[in-house]
Amino acid sequence: MARWITFALSLIGLAVGIWAVSTSKQKAPEIPLAREASVNPYAHGVAALGLIEPAGREVSVVAPEPGLVMDVFVEVGDHVEAGQPLFRLDSRRLEADLIRAQAGLEAGKAEVARWHALPRAEDLPPLEAAVTRAQAMVQDREDNLNRTDEALKKNAASTRDLSAAQFSLEAARADLIKAQADLAKARAGGWGPDLAIAQAMLTAQQQELAALRLLVDRLTVRAPRAGVVLRRDVEPGEFANGEMGRGSLGSLVIGDLSHLMVRAQVDEEDIALVTPDAQALARTRGAAPKELSLRLVRIEPYARGKTDLLGTNTERVDTRIIDVVFEIVGDAPPGVYPGVSVDVFIKAGAS
């Protein structure tokens, strides 16, 4: 009985194997494409990858130096004018230096004012009294010299007494000259070179204050030109690096959306087919592709390495491309934004 069961199972397995082999030779069903391929509408044309960009290209705004972000004044979609504040970094250290510089400026102004206030009214009477006393001392020494000279003639004094009286008179005259000089110096007021030094120090303080104010104002990042805020990657309390790596965006991105452009990357081998009056169109990608009429603006005369890739297996990455800039004719349809990739087709000119 077991032998018949084993024989029956063998027959079943053989039948299953024959069925599997026979069905495996059938052609697999073809799966339709999710979207139709983007086909060049021109019989003789050039196809290129295009990127939509604002008029004049977008501007990536970065902080002038690393620092803590204190305030952000704009939101995505806001229209800004040139010079309008966008965000502000922490400026407290510079503001502390500004306070010290302001104090130094006031000290410099006080020093110049002090020079102009000279001489002090209370300084003159003592000096005038010193001159009067010196004059009286000279008169007394002159009288003493005359008396000594008369006494010498009468043999009542010696020549030594006359010499002493003469020396005393000269000393009194020297004291008078010094007192008169001190009085004249006080009446003349401040010394000119002292004023020059004080004014130079005051000017230095003013320039230091102006420099600090410029540094404080520098930490308020302003819009380099008018446009619309397309992207915002900074928040209060975050740390701004103050630098932007190659291919990365800044803290804010600003662009002019009054009209849009398309930057097509034309292969260096095909650029000879593009003429200044070439007819062109762009086709968006996605579920609902749209065609955009283009007008050639310029061909940028510089070949560069290809950096924006389509992602296809046959795409070359060692080629060089020429940027050809087009303007979208008319208003861009909804769903067309800066940074979107489009397929650009350019009608080839006569060779």
Side-chain angles (χ1 to χ4, degrees):
M1 185 65 181
R3 185 173 61 180
W4 286 105
I5 294 176
T6 303
F7 180 74
L9 292 175
S10 300
L11 292 176
I12 293 173
L14 179 62
V16 171
I18 294 173
W19 175 83
V21 171
S22 61
T23 56
S24 63
K25 294 181 180 180
Q26 293 180 358
K27 186 177 180 180
E30 295 183 358
I31 302 176
L33 294 175
R35 300 182 181 92
E36 294 183 1
S38 185
V39 180
N40 193 337
Y42 304 115
H44 300 285
V46 176
L49 170 66
L51 294 175
I52 295 179
E53 62 182 31
R57 308 194 71 171
E58 68 275 2
V59 177
S60 296
V61 182
V62 298
E65 62 182 46
L68 181 67
V69 178
M70 301 299 291
D71 298 293
V72 181
F73 306 113
V74 294
E75 297 289 346
V76 174
D78 289 351
H79 180 83
V80 296
E81 298 295 336
Q84 179 176 335
L86 301 177
F87 61 93
R88 183 177 65 87
L89 300 181
D90 185 8
S91 60
R92 286 173 291 184
R93 180 179 61 82
L94 289 175
E95 289 174 355
D97 294 338
L98 192 63
I99 294 173
R100 285 192 289 268
Q102 184 66 47
L105 178 64
E106 297 301 324
K109 290 180 180 179
E111 184 65 24
V112 173
R114 185 187 70 83
W115 188 94
H116 287 292
L118 295 176
R120 295 173 56 182
E122 56 270 26
D123 290 341
L124 296 180
L127 297 176
E128 292 171 348
V131 171
T132 302
R133 184 180 62 183
Q135 290 174 340
M137 187 65 68
V138 169
Q139 184 64 42
D140 180 70
R141 294 296 185 267
E142 288 177 348
D143 293 343
N144 181 56
L145 178 62
N146 292 334
R147 289 192 299 269
T148 303
D149 186 51
E150 292 295 330
L152 180 61
K153 292 178 181 178
K154 298 178 181 179
N155 296 324
S158 63
T159 56
R160 183 180 180 84
D161 294 334
L162 183 63
S163 298
Q166 183 67 38
F167 178 80
S168 179
L169 175 60
E170 296 299 330
R173 287 174 177 172
D175 291 340
L176 175 60
I177 292 173
K178 181 180 182 303
Q180 289 174 338
D182 290 341
L183 178 60
K185 178 182 177 182
R187 286 175 175 172
W191 190 35
D194 287 341
L195 177 61
I197 293 174
Q199 288 178 333
M201 294 181 65
L202 177 60
T203 301
Q205 289 291 339
Q206 290 172 337
Q207 297 300 326
E208 177 68 17
L209 191 63
L212 287 172
R213 284 173 177 164
L214 284 176
L215 291 176
V216 171
D217 183 71
R218 176 173 172 264
L219 295 182
T220 298
V221 181
R222 303 178 184 275
R225 67 184 187 191
V228 176
V229 179
L230 305 180
R231 185 179 178 88
R232 167 180 160 176
D233 284 332
V234 63
E235 296 292 338
E238 294 182 346
F239 189 84
N241 290 326
E243 60 183 13
M244 185 175 64
R246 185 176 181 180
S248 61
L249 298 176
S251 299
L252 290 170
V253 178
I254 296 175
D256 181 7
L257 298 183
S258 59
H259 58 282
L260 297 179
M261 317 291 286
V262 174
R263 181 174 295 270
Q265 300 178 2
V266 179
D267 192 291
E268 58 184 347
E269 298 178 359
D270 298 330
I271 191 62
L273 301 176
V274 180
T275 58
D277 57 348
Q279 183 180 353
L281 62 86
R283 186 178 294 124
T284 62
R285 302 173 180 179
K290 302 179 179 65
E291 287 194 354
L292 310 173
S293 298
L294 303 179
R295 180 174 59 249
L296 194 147
V297 177
R298 65 181 180 273
I299 300 175
E300 297 187 351
Y302 180 75
R304 62 182 178 87
K306 190 172 186 180
T307 56
D308 299 308
L309 305 178
L310 294 172
T312 60
N313 296 330
T314 59
E315 186 172 26
R316 291 173 53 195
V317 297
D318 59 344
T319 187
R320 301 187 68 80
I321 53 94
I322 308 293
D323 286 335
V324 181
V325 180
F326 296 91
E327 180 182 7
I328 297 178
V329 179
D331 296 332
V336 177
Y337 302 104
V340 171
S341 298
V342 293
D343 296 317
V344 178
F345 302 106
I346 308 170
K347 187 175 182 179
S351 57

